[in-house]
Amino acid sequence: MTRDQDGYPESYYAATANDLVLYPNLSGELEADVCVIGGGFTGLAAALNLAEAGRSVVLLEAERIGYGASGRCGGLVGSGQRRDVLETEALFGLERSRALWDLAEEAKAEIRRRIAVHRIDCGLADGQLVGIHKPAYAGYAAELASALEERYEYPGCRALSRDESRTRVATDDFLEAFWDPGALALHPLNFAIGLARAAQEAGVRVFEGSRVLGYSRKTPAEVRTASGRVIARDIVLGCNGYLGRLEKRVAGKIMPINNFMVATEPLGEQRALELIDGFYGVHDTRFVVNYFRLSRDYRLLFGGGENYRAGFPADIRRFVRPYMLKLFPQLEDVALDFAWGGTLSVTVNRLPHVGRLRPNVWFAQGYSGHGISTASFAGKLLAEAIGGDESRFDMLAALPTMTFPGGTLLRYPGMVLGMLYYGIRDRF
């Protein structure tokens, strides 16, 4: 993958990033209360909240702030958990489902608060439309909207007919739709950059180009990079899909997968708003989700397709374009100015995996495509737990998390077979 002059992978987000700051590499030895590993949403939120609570914090990022999925994702911030309330009710019962929903609502409110307090220019927009693509899912939107109003005190969502959906999003692929006015969309890299700036202003010592090579399992821990080390009482792992072999004790709980996006040439205001009638986020109900929205300069930002190996397709434009044209054949004449990929991680049950490893390692990962709000709020809960209040952290840590069959060795073949199965179900 090519990189632009600022060291980020080429993407629309890197090309439109605000106020990029080059943080130094770690050199020599530092001491801190907490060493945070990873400069994505989890690590940034944990570092910022810890510093605001009076802890001394060092944050180590292997590349650039927001370099991974945090700065390359679709920018959609959905309500609730990755699995909707109908599913979490079936899994855990109403009381626990409601508690998980309330955490997720606070996560959205925290994003709004941070953007306002720190004056982060990231194009925040309201709303999300979920397009129902399959006749078997008929009635889902109405059932979900009713459940949210009656049992979760979340009015305002509604089911849209095919004609109503077509008026809002110009695709014939949606048989009906679910509209959530309380969801969000934003420029994810600019949000990450803004959090990093806020963290530094709060006293966090931020280092880029400082890949962690390992750490000791003792208190205090020694965290090592190629050119320095940090001595810290606690460690926070915010690596998610980029964890690699750094921590084998939790690596088998997640599956790194690659998603891909394109940005069209500017469509012009009229054509863009005929395609989607606002800047809200949109995704469909396929197992391999298509997700998209308009940028502020009236491009279509479209995510479609994924793979389950270390490398990206040689030609991402060619890989993603058929997914885009299936939904929007009227864009056949449109050029794709940007194409990029990113690595996220999923869990078996598509719920986040958070916890603590002895003696002093805290982690959060496996957001399964619901990472902006969940990761940001997981960072806040990590900070609370390290500060002594583990009550809300324990609520997430208690979620069941399976190890992928075969662990890190065989999870990829199993994932490929599973995705083939669900791909066939999507089509037929």
Side-chain angles (χ1 to χ4, degrees):
M1 174 175 289
T2 59
R3 300 191 185 190
D4 66 14
Q5 61 184 359
D6 296 306
Y8 284 93
E10 182 182 22
S11 73
Y12 171 77
Y13 298 132
T16 54
N18 297 329
D19 304 323
L20 282 174
V21 174
L22 181 63
Y23 296 96
N25 296 354
L26 176 67
S27 179
E29 181 177 311
L30 294 176
E31 294 185 1
D33 294 328
V34 184
C35 181
V36 175
I37 303 173
F41 294 133
T42 303
L44 291 168
L48 176 54
N49 281 280
L50 284 162
E52 290 175 339
R55 301 294 192 278
S56 63
V57 183
V58 170
L59 185 149
L60 303 177
E61 163 56 42
E63 302 283 353
R64 298 296 311 274
I65 292 298
Y67 176 90
S70 294
R72 306 189 214 175
C73 65
L76 278 62
V77 184
S79 300
Q81 302 293 335
R82 171 62 176 81
R83 302 187 71 162
D84 66 45
V85 296
L86 302 175
E87 294 176 297
T88 55
E89 279 185 23
L91 288 169
F92 307 123
L94 177 58
E95 181 178 358
R96 193 174 179 190
S97 177
R98 176 62 190 261
L100 291 170
W101 171 266
D102 290 344
L103 280 183
E105 278 299 284
E106 189 175 342
K108 288 192 308 185
E110 177 73 358
I111 288 173
R112 290 185 184 277
R113 185 181 76 83
R114 289 293 184 190
I115 290 171
V117 167
H118 305 299
R119 299 181 180 179
I120 301 174
D121 180 10
C122 59
L124 185 66
D126 293 316
Q128 186 170 109
L129 185 146
V130 181
I132 313 300
H133 82 287
K134 194 173 180 180
Y137 298 157
Y140 161 79
E143 182 182 6
L144 180 58
S146 177
L148 288 171
E149 182 170 13
E150 294 173 4
R151 302 195 290 278
Y152 293 83
E153 300 177 19
Y154 189 75
C157 297
R158 65 189 187 94
L160 305 179
S161 68
R162 184 169 196 162
D163 288 343
E164 290 174 311
S165 172
R166 184 65 174 73
T167 298
R168 304 214 61 180
V169 180
T171 179
D172 293 325
D173 194 66
F174 296 166
L175 307 180
E176 58 185 41
F178 172 79
W179 171 247
D180 177 4
L184 308 172
L186 50 75
H187 187 303
L189 181 56
N190 280 336
F191 181 49
I193 291 167
L195 290 178
R197 172 172 46 81
Q200 185 182 50
E201 290 171 354
V204 176
R205 288 166 285 175
V206 180
F207 297 91
E208 295 179 319
S210 302
R211 183 177 303 277
V212 171
L213 304 177
Y215 45 78
S216 62
R217 295 187 186 180
K218 62 181 182 180
T219 303
E222 177 185 303
V223 182
R224 305 183 309 278
T225 72
S227 58
R229 63 177 187 161
V230 179
I231 308 301
R233 187 191 67 195
D234 290 288
I235 296 172
V236 169
L237 281 180
C239 304
N240 201 33
Y242 295 82
L243 178 66
R245 299 180 180 180
L246 184 60
E247 182 50 81
K248 295 180 180 179
R249 290 176 287 179
V250 296
K253 301 289 188 180
I254 57 173
M255 166 74 71
I257 65 173
N258 302 318
N259 272 179
F260 306 102
M261 290 191 69
V262 295
T264 68
E265 63 183 327
L267 302 175
E269 180 176 359
Q270 180 177 345
R271 187 176 185 183
L273 292 176
E274 288 173 354
L275 196 71
I276 306 173
D277 69 345
F279 294 103
Y280 54 87
V282 188
H283 69 84
D284 62 23
T285 48
R286 288 176 169 83
F287 193 77
V288 179
V289 175
N290 296 307
Y291 51 95
F292 47 93
R293 61 191 179 92
L294 296 179
S295 66
R296 293 292 173 168
D297 56 352
Y298 299 107
R299 303 171 187 266
L300 178 67
L301 308 181
F302 186 94
E306 57 189 36
N307 70 14
Y308 319 106
R309 52 186 172 82
F312 292 173
D315 187 340
I316 295 177
R317 287 173 175 81
R318 185 175 180 181
F319 183 84
V320 177
R321 190 177 185 89
Y323 293 94
M324 182 184 78
L325 294 181
K326 178 175 174 55
L327 270 67
F328 299 111
Q330 64 269 43
L331 298 182
E332 177 67 44
D333 64 318
V334 171
L336 303 180
D337 282 354
F338 299 91
W340 67 97
T343 303
L344 64 147
S345 75
V346 300
T347 59
V348 173
N349 63 2
R350 301 303 191 267
L351 292 170
H353 179 220
V354 306
R356 182 180 184 180
L357 301 171
R358 293 185 182 277
N360 54 358
V361 177
W362 306 78
F363 67 88
Q365 60 181 10
Y367 307 117
S368 302
H370 203 71
I372 300 178
S373 59
T374 309
S376 299
F377 202 63
K380 180 180 177 67
L381 300 188
L382 284 162
E384 289 179 0
I386 292 170
D389 180 2
E390 299 184 32
S391 56
R392 301 202 301 174
F393 177 83
D394 285 345
M395 187 186 305
L396 285 186
L399 292 172
T401 307
M402 296 171 56
T403 299
F404 274 87
T408 57
L409 181 63
L410 298 177
R411 60 186 173 181
Y412 283 103
M415 186 70 168
V416 170
L417 289 173
M419 298 308 292
L420 286 172
Y421 167 74
Y422 283 107
I424 293 170
R425 285 188 59 181
D426 271 345
R427 289 178 177 86
F428 302 106

